[in-house]
Amino acid sequence: MEGRSTMRQLLDDTEIERGLSELSGWAREGNALRKTFEFAGFREAIAFVNRVAGVAEEMNHHPDLDIRYNKVRATLSTHSSGGITRLDLVLARAMDAALDAA
C-alpha cells in the first residue's frame, strides 16, 4: 500500500472522477464525497455504523456520519489536506464492503 503521506495528497478533478467511476452511489459535493445508505430500520443502520467505525479506526480516517432513523449519510474528506484524497476513496470502498457484509 502507498505511504501515508501519499494517501493524504489532494487528488485532481480527473483522479476524483476516475475514483468515483469505480464506486456505486457516491458523488462529489465540493471538497467531499457523499453517499446515503438506507436500511430496513434503525438497528440495521446502527450495525452498519459500528462496522464502519472499526474500519475507520484502523485507517485512522474518520467519516462524518449523519444518522436519521434508517438512513446514514456519509461525508468523506481529508480535513488535514483540505479536500479529497486517495484515503477517502479507500474508505468509500471499505464502507461499501461493510454494507455488503451485512
Side-chain angles (χ1 to χ4, degrees):
M1 182 178 254
E2 297 178 54
R4 216 173 258 278
S5 62
T6 303
M7 293 288 287
R8 292 184 183 274
Q9 290 178 350
L10 288 176
L11 299 177
D12 64 30
D13 291 341
T14 302
E15 292 169 313
I16 293 168
E17 289 306 314
R18 188 178 311 124
L20 284 172
S21 73
E22 299 170 359
L23 297 168
S24 177
W26 288 91
R28 180 181 188 177
E29 290 185 24
N31 288 330
L33 303 179
R34 291 209 171 97
K35 180 175 180 175
T36 299
F37 297 87
E38 189 167 348
F39 302 91
F42 184 70
R43 287 180 191 260
E44 293 84 357
I46 295 302
F48 170 74
V49 168
N50 285 330
R51 286 191 302 277
V52 167
V55 171
E57 202 54 29
E58 286 177 24
M59 291 179 64
N60 193 28
H61 188 56
H62 305 93
D64 294 332
L65 300 173
D66 179 35
I67 305 164
R68 306 288 171 120
Y69 178 57
N70 69 332
K71 294 180 182 166
V72 177
R73 183 176 184 189
T75 303
L76 305 180
S77 181
T78 306
H79 302 293
S80 61
S81 300
I84 301 167
T85 67
R86 280 187 177 72
L87 204 52
D88 299 305
L89 294 172
V90 169
L91 184 53
R93 282 191 290 275
M95 291 180 74
D96 286 345
L99 179 65
D100 293 339

